[in-house]
Amino acid sequence: MKKLNIIFFLAISLKLSAQTNYVQYAKPIIGTEKMGHTYPGATVPFGAVQLSPDTDTIPYAYQGKYTGTVYKYCAGYQYDDPTIVGFSHTHFSGTGHSDLGDFLIMPTTGKLHLNPGTEDHPENGYRSKFSHENELAEPNYYKVKLDDHNITAELTTTTRVGYHQYTFPKSDQAHIILDLMHGIYNYDEKNVWTFVRVENDSTVVGYRQTSGWARTRTVYFAIKFSKSFKSYGSKDYSPKVPYRGFWGKFDQTKNFPDLAGKQLRMYFDFDTQDGEKIDIKFALSPVSTLNALENMKVETPNWNFNEIKNKGQAQWQKEFERVQVNMISKADMVNFYTAMYHAFITPTVYTDVNGHYKGLDQNVHLADGFINYTTFSLWDTYRALHPLFNLIQPGRNNDMVKSMMAHYDQSVLHMLPVWSNSANDDWCMSGYHSVSVITDAIMKGIYTGNANRALDACVATANHRSYEGIGDYIDNGYISAERNGTSVSSTLEYAYDDWCIAQLAKKLNRQDIYETFSKRAQNWKNVYDKSIGFMRPKLSDGSFKKEYDVLQTDGQGFIEGNAWNYSLYVPQDPATLISMMGGSKKFVPHLDSLFTMHLPDEFFEHTEDITREGIIGNYVHGNEPAHHVAYLYNWTDQPWKTQSTIRMILKKQYHNGADGLGGNDDCGQMSAWYIFSSLGFYPVAPGSNEYALGTPTVVNAKLNLENGKTLTVTAKNQSEKNVYVRKVTYNGKTLSKPFISFEQLVAGGDLVFEMSAKPNK
Amino acid sequence: MKKLNIIFFLAISLKLSAQTNYVQYAKPIIGTEKMGHTYPGATVPFGAVQLSPDTDTIPYAYQGKYTGTVYKYCAGYQYDDPTIVGFSHTHFSGTGHSDLGDFLIMPTTGKLHLNPGTEDHPENGYRSKFSHENELAEPNYYKVKLDDHNITAELTTTTRVGYHQYTFPKSDQAHIILDLMHGIYNYDEKNVWTFVRVENDSTVVGYRQTSGWARTRTVYFAIKFSKSFKSYGSKDYSPKVPYRGFWGKFDQTKNFPDLAGKQLRMYFDFDTQDGEKIDIKFALSPVSTLNALENMKVETPNWNFNEIKNKGQAQWQKEFERVQVNMISKADMVNFYTAMYHAFITPTVYTDVNGHYKGLDQNVHLADGFINYTTFSLWDTYRALHPLFNLIQPGRNNDMVKSMMAHYDQSVLHMLPVWSNSANDDWCMSGYHSVSVITDAIMKGIYTGNANRALDACVATANHRSYEGIGDYIDNGYISAERNGTSVSSTLEYAYDDWCIAQLAKKLNRQDIYETFSKRAQNWKNVYDKSIGFMRPKLSDGSFKKEYDVLQTDGQGFIEGNAWNYSLYVPQDPATLISMMGGSKKFVPHLDSLFTMHLPDEFFEHTEDITREGIIGNYVHGNEPAHHVAYLYNWTDQPWKTQSTIRMILKKQYHNGADGLGGNDDCGQMSAWYIFSSLGFYPVAPGSNEYALGTPTVVNAKLNLENGKTLTVTAKNQSEKNVYVRKVTYNGKTLSKPFISFEQLVAGGDLVFEMSAKPNK
């Protein structure tokens, strides 16, 4: 009977799934309040265009340190803000540093304003008040009423084109502002150059070159308006305008089609009837205005907002159907598909429809046989996002690895990407985690390129002596505390990455590399101070640094974390770590205390990217270094604690509100953690083909794999209270250990968790 | 006997010519002192690279007006200066405004200096003292001893590659500076962005983007050193460096290969033996670093300075052989071939070896079936340089017209070029003289493109109402003095250009255009004040401006000229002008007085481009508007005065010294005037196929035309004193009027002037 019941239940759910509109569950608004740093606007999966409202982007007074205001606006939108400045075309999703915000469009009525105005006095600028009651954010669709202008704004996109629709009131003073100064993480010197041509009464092309997080970045655009503008104009806001020679022969401020400068704003004037819609196609290209026009022609041949919106939502539906789940509540469904949504935004497509893109060498390259991607936030995403792609997006992850290899080939430093941003490396955060992503893809048979060349790239990167302490690390087995402010965390991360290289070398029978990097993978031991049971900064003379605080995040040798969290970072060998920390007997209560201790707020206030909301005890889920930690119980004699802890984290850190993310989503890493954990397993050490089992929160799930196989995950007796796993079977066979392999998962079949309210001790 | 003598003389001279090395006569140093604004460095005919020493380029404090110091350095080199800053790769020849000066290379020894130092204290910078005794300037070869560093510098080029050879003393502190801040007409905001990659220990690539006279200009480069540098480094001199993010992970000042910023200087270190030569290939491209590398590979495959020097000099020899002359003195030969040299520098090639170039739209274009040229200083060069090309360089002039049409096709303003500079229009000076060049090329059967499309482009340009008074001019037949500071000269120039369009329309049977523009061609009459016998500013109410000074150049309604000179500017119809001015009887003494009156120096000091050296009486030969004036006597009853006046001008305005040019050479216009006038004829109204005869200074000349025909010019009884022409025969037939047609000249044959010490009254 039991068996019959299960089959019946599955049949029902899968049938429902096949018909289910998953797009309805994805809520782009989640994470837009406080520090989630997601954006609510429109994008298609991995789209090059992220068309989204910006509520502010406080000019960045660069003083060698971060300012709270600019950090707040990493995604351009903060849910609590009362006004919208306009709609720009490029946004990072969930980052803790930022860039982009290219090409702000704002429709207005009445007196022309070319400055954005302020939150307090929107009437002095082009921005507008708005309210969330008049706002709707869906995958690839965003709608809002701009109260001050009585205009309804609707946004949708294709991969490379932003499509705007503005419904105007009757007006003989209707304007569309194109602010080419606007940007995220903006400051005086960010806008390097802007070039604009008004080709005719409804077509504008140009480019903007910026030097922000990406040092040398140019974005080309092509704009078409569905209605001819009656007049247009511009203003150059540069305090110091370069020599203009005889350009003064023209009045360049009004109806002059040939503009260039550092700080330009433009406007286009229209007469509108009540309810008249003006549509805008806004295509981007990393290569040229001609390519932007071609992107537009190919992707948006028609003036049909709904067609584009529906096509993009169908793309989302198709992506969501890769993992069809049923969960206990609608709220969980929303969390799950919002996580899927956020996981499928980044990396972003960086090729034009003709396959061209601009490389790190600033030359135009053809991505031959793959889509080139950018926006690799690798310190975050190597942990769970790329491993998730290896399971449910292997085709794309193959292209992403190819993109990393293209980056390497173009890098004059001969390094794989650290933080890839629009043909630049931002070098943000530590480690050389491309090697983790590459190793994981090759270990799992995803990468179709030359594996030995990829290994060579990994080794070259890991041996780049001048990069952040690598020379010291190679010579001494750790980075000396005197030489680097994040000497301990970098040593730990390098050791993990080195282990990845060793695994790859082993697979490829490169014995010398295997031996060298297997040895380097042990280097974490060099910064472990057995006397205190924590990782600890070590001086060049081999002694540990004396003054030391294992709770402080600031100045202790760790990047965005404290010794407490980072000391648990040996994903490649938890067993040895636990043994060195005294075995299960000592380690389990130690780990327990991480989640239960009480820390005063001020402990974390010095560190960007670690916020009160993202903390449970002293466990920092809102930032990445401890994402694997709850799964470490699996290596102890109390694996059920992984289960209860995971449930607890899922519940505390993810919910349906605009403030529903406990920290920066970090280009999908937080969301990938959620997806894996909800399905009941997690890749503690990418590069290994083993997943640690946790506790599913799905009632059931169907993973439609690209190899044509189907994996079902079923949680029998699933409930809010039944957080523990009594038994797990894979294709009917009980698993004796809390681990499952990649080979098992991709072979397809049934993974069944029997849930219980009590731990299976 | 006489006949035999002539034949004998010709036979001798032509035989000699065939063997003559004309390169020896061309002296690039001529015009480098005072206001000639030529440069002494190396270039091949119409080369994209002009590799030349810069003696200074005073930073330009932009104050909305010119400063004397920056004007002085239009070509980067002033003969009287005691120091050389370095050798940069791009220079305008003879301009009165400037730009370029890209990529300064300077070899040094001893303590490393990254700043150029000052003329007074060269020891505090990388510059060096030098003396003209140790300097040699030939076509495509420049050599100088850098005294402070004990280095001999030698420069040569191909079309797209600068080739340096530096002979060092023994030193373990030998440096080669690459100053990426350096530029001509430089100022704070000119350098927009610089990007550099050190690809290996002898290869560097990158680009620099500037906003100077050309508003949006990018030049890409590739450098190869013949010897590996032992180390290298850089410094960013921006007062405000854009956000650098995590680039700080590297020490970017030393041996760091990935640089970008606004104000960069670099250095490369070597150990050298005594007498050791280090060669540098420095390739440019308007498109990409890849193209720069390809240009280098194709044009300079070997490390062989002399091979490249000789090849370039052979190119010059071939160009010079287009007009083989014998003259009375070696000094005249030097003047003639120096004029040929300066006439064949500009316009400059603006395509890569693969035919690609960057267009005005900033997209990459393929020049299909032609070489694309830039550097069109059309207000100057429409007068005599392009007409000269139509006679002796028709193939190139055809490509130049095609380049103008490509400019038009890419221009969002739908205008032909005014002053074309590196995919930009500088809009310098007045008129729309592209139409003159195009008309002249089509009237003479040179242009192989679509003539009707070319006419359409001319008409569109002439009807661009928002450009410098054109709307007013179309509506009222003149530009109102209130609306434009150069209302009279622009009206006069437009009228001439309109006459060109009318001729072209007539040829193409476009009757409506012919009629419209024939009428517009009469507009010069609207600004002629019969009561005073001068052109005069007219107000919009139709009355002439009351306060008026026919000698002053400043604020009287003329660009770079006074009413006296400009009132003679009706090249399309001198007969009517002379008639309106009272016929020969009144006009001849009027014109005589132009050359004989005495003006105090201060009359011209307010006007850029008019210098004391370029003035004869009140006739300004040093600037262009009156270049046809001496030929106007041909339309009177005293044509012999053309002959005496031309001789006088040739003698006074051109000589062999460094200060041998009476004014800016203006991209070859002054030189083209010299060549035509020396040959005995001049194109008073380009667009007409008629040349006015003057007085040859050659003893004989052989023009080897591209159509395979040969035209010989012989001056019988040529001497210093025999300035007058007694008789002219063409193929044995006496010419009854002092004019000859293009058709006659290009049919080949013998043009014989019989010279005399007395005018043929």
Side-chain angles (χ1 to χ4, degrees), chain A residues 97 187-189 193 197 209 211 215-216 240 243 246 249 258 262 289 363 410 427 429 467, chain B residues 97 187-189 193 197 209 211 215-216 240 243 246 249 258 262 289 363 410 427 429 467:
Chain A
H97 194 290
Y187 51 93
D188 285 356
E189 300 289 308
W193 199 246
R197 286 162 61 105
Q209 185 178 342
S211 182
R215 193 176 55 170
T216 301
K240 203 168 180 182
Y243 174 75
F246 301 91
K249 292 192 174 183
D258 197 355
K262 295 191 184 189
T289 59
N363 287 308
Q410 294 155 12
W427 305 111
M429 304 307 294
Y467 183 69
Chain B
H97 194 291
Y187 50 93
D188 284 355
E189 299 288 307
W193 198 246
R197 287 161 60 104
Q209 185 178 342
S211 182
R215 193 174 55 171
T216 301
K240 206 168 178 181
Y243 173 76
F246 299 90
K249 291 190 174 185
D258 196 356
K262 296 192 182 187
T289 59
N363 287 309
Q410 293 155 15
W427 305 112
M429 303 307 292
Y467 183 71

Side-chain angles (χ1 to χ4, degrees), chain A residues 741-757:
Chain A
S741 74
F742 176 74
E743 290 75 9
Q744 288 173 303
L745 296 184
V746 295
D750 301 316
L751 180 65
V752 181
F753 294 79
E754 291 185 19
M755 308 305 293
S756 162

Side-chain angles (χ1 to χ4, degrees), chain A residues 113-131:
Chain A
H113 289 286
L114 276 183
N115 71 78
T118 60
E119 185 181 294
D120 296 338
H121 290 287
E123 69 279 6
N124 294 338
Y126 59 67
R127 77 170 70 198
S128 171
K129 288 195 286 295
F130 78 109
S131 72

